[in-house]
Amino acid sequence: MQLSVDNLIMPFFVVEGKNIKSPIKNFPGVFHLSIDKMLKDIDEIKKLGIPAVLLFGVTNKKDDVGSYAWDKNGVVQNAVKKIKQKHSDVVVITDVCLCGYKSDGHCGIMRIKNEKLKMKNYGIDIETTLKYLSKIALSHAGAGCDFVAPSAMMDGQVKSIRNILNKNGFDNVGIFAYSAKFASNFYGPFREALESYPKFGDRKSYQLDYANTSDALRKIKQDIDDGADIVMVKPALCYLDIIKEAKQKFNVPIAAYNVSGEYSMIKFSASKGIISEKESVLEILTAIKRAGADLIITYHAKEVAKWLKQEN
Ligand code: PBG
């Protein structure tokens, strides 16, 4: 068993504008990039042999329903078109969620509008949420992505998205499902990147309890039954047992998301000389693969690809 560059997926945070490369708080080495800058990075990624990218749109055009997320000329839609024009062979995966586009920072539409009740019962209006998530997925497919990656953890999201894609002739667009996504403490730098901290409450009503295994496996099974092509466990490090069980039980590729907090912990420790960045990253990613992940989404992807090249 050996970690290989084919296993890696590189995430990008794309912003509108030109010639922008700006740092993100608590996220060393990761940047907000305008499309032109992202394309430069993708040239490099291609040379390094990294096969796939995962795109997140970053915007201040936020509203109550997240409508910019399905804008045909939105930043993700434009980024997909540009990548495909230049590098048709780079696999493009797009994140499908509302949290980066809604003013309240939640991944779904809230049923409870009363301010006082909100804190106690931030119930989700599932029907409306699924309708919007499907619109987003359809707009990404229309732009030419290879996979959509629904990450909102809303019941039924894979089924609704598969339906709308098929109805519109996008049978060939795959679903890369964030199936087992835990309510984790390791998403901090990512939320800085998207400015998507929930403005009230938390995400525990729709993300999984980290003490629970069976819910995660049930969610994965449901997503596969609903048409997911690849299923994901997220985060990776604290959930190697879930990755392993999923790999043993199911017959689809398993992806693991080495998330922003996991990444930054290593970066900060390495910058203080506590650990070696190269050795610890290789150990962690190899362990994630050993547990059963076929694909690993990681902000370390470029460095890892370089290290793997040196070693061969
Ligand atoms: C939510 C989403 C999250 C991440 C990706 N999509 C987590 C969240 O805010 O709850 C986290 C990724 C990371 O930390 O690297 N749609």
Side-chain angles (χ1 to χ4, degrees):
M1 202 283 311
Q2 225 180 351
L3 182 67
S4 143
V5 70
D6 302 332
N7 303 128
L8 306 175
I9 299 172
M10 175 74 190
F12 281 103
F13 297 104
V14 198
V15 296
E16 283 185 339
K18 277 214 168 84
N19 204 23
I20 298 170
K21 177 175 181 174
S22 51
I24 302 165
K25 191 178 157 205
N26 293 333
F27 215 165
V30 177
F31 300 89
H32 285 140
L33 297 177
S34 51
I35 294 177
D36 53 325
K37 288 283 188 187
M38 174 203 68
L39 288 171
K40 287 221 169 90
D41 253 31
I42 293 182
D43 293 342
E44 192 190 347
I45 271 175
K46 212 183 134 172
K47 279 196 201 116
L48 288 166
I50 297 168
V53 298
L54 170 63
L55 305 184
F56 294 95
V58 179
T59 184
N60 48 22
K61 294 178 185 158
K62 301 186 194 236
D63 63 25
D64 286 351
V65 296
S67 58
Y68 180 70
W70 59 85
D71 186 329
K72 275 200 182 114
N73 290 310
V75 68
V76 170
Q77 290 81 353
N78 285 337
V80 173
K81 285 179 227 160
K82 292 279 189 205
I83 298 171
K84 283 295 175 184
Q85 275 167 16
K86 203 166 176 202
H87 299 296
S88 60
D89 54 340
V90 169
V91 177
V92 178
I93 308 165
T94 54
D95 184 80
V96 174
C97 197
L98 291 165
C99 59
Y101 302 92
K102 280 176 75 234
S103 324
D104 69 10
H106 276 287
C107 303
I109 304 293
M110 297 295 146
R111 196 159 33 80
I112 308 296
K113 303 290 179 205
N114 179 301
E115 284 298 324
K116 275 190 192 139
L117 286 174
K118 260 183 179 176
M119 293 304 293
K120 289 195 179 135
N121 183 356
Y122 29 92
I124 300 281
D125 172 352
I126 192 77
E127 223 174 287
T128 311
T129 301
L130 293 181
K131 195 172 84 191
Y132 294 153
L133 293 174
S134 303
K135 275 160 93 87
I136 302 173
L138 187 60
S139 75
H140 293 175
C145 71
D146 299 286
F147 288 90
V148 289
S151 71
M153 281 304 277
M154 297 295 153
D155 286 334
Q157 59 181 10
V158 171
K159 199 175 200 171
S160 313
I161 289 174
R162 190 67 271 162
N163 278 341
I164 200 167
L165 291 180
N166 291 359
K167 262 194 209 140
N168 287 276
F170 293 113
D171 308 60
N172 58 331
V173 173
I175 299 188
F176 192 112
Y178 287 66
S179 305
K181 175 170 170 187
F182 289 86
S184 171
N185 294 292
F186 292 97
Y187 300 146
F190 174 92
R191 291 180 186 170
E192 291 287 346
L194 258 67
E195 289 181 25
S196 63
Y197 281 101
K199 298 287 181 297
F200 58 86
D202 54 43
R203 302 207 207 287
K204 288 184 181 151
S205 68
Y206 45 96
Q207 298 182 349
L208 299 170
D209 172 0
Y210 58 68
N212 185 311
T213 306
S214 55
D215 276 355
L217 294 167
R218 194 173 47 74
K219 286 274 188 190
I220 293 173
K221 167 137 192 351
Q222 186 65 53
D223 279 358
I224 295 171
D225 291 346
D226 286 349
D229 299 282
I230 299 171
V231 293
M232 193 205 296
V233 175
K234 174 183 172 183
L237 263 188
C238 296
Y239 303 92
L240 297 181
D241 56 328
I242 309 286
I243 296 172
K244 183 161 188 188
E245 269 199 62
K247 182 67 183 171
Q248 287 169 347
K249 282 209 168 71
F250 306 113
N251 205 11
V252 299
I254 309 288
Y257 201 141
N258 177 217
V259 300
S260 59
E262 298 175 328
Y263 166 90
S264 289
M265 279 195 305
I266 298 296
K267 282 291 202 188
F268 286 122
S269 305
S271 73
K272 294 208 177 331
I274 300 168
I275 56 173
S276 145
E277 180 170 344
K278 176 180 168 185
E279 298 308 326
S280 49
V281 170
L282 289 175
E283 179 180 349
I284 286 170
L285 298 189
T286 302
I288 296 170
K289 180 162 180 186
R290 189 193 64 227
D294 302 289
L295 298 163
I296 305 172
I297 301 165
T298 179
Y299 306 97
H300 298 290
K302 272 204 282 185
E303 285 73 26
V304 173
K306 287 177 199 159
W307 297 328
L308 292 175
K309 253 192 182 159
Q310 286 163 8
E311 285 181 9
N312 285 322

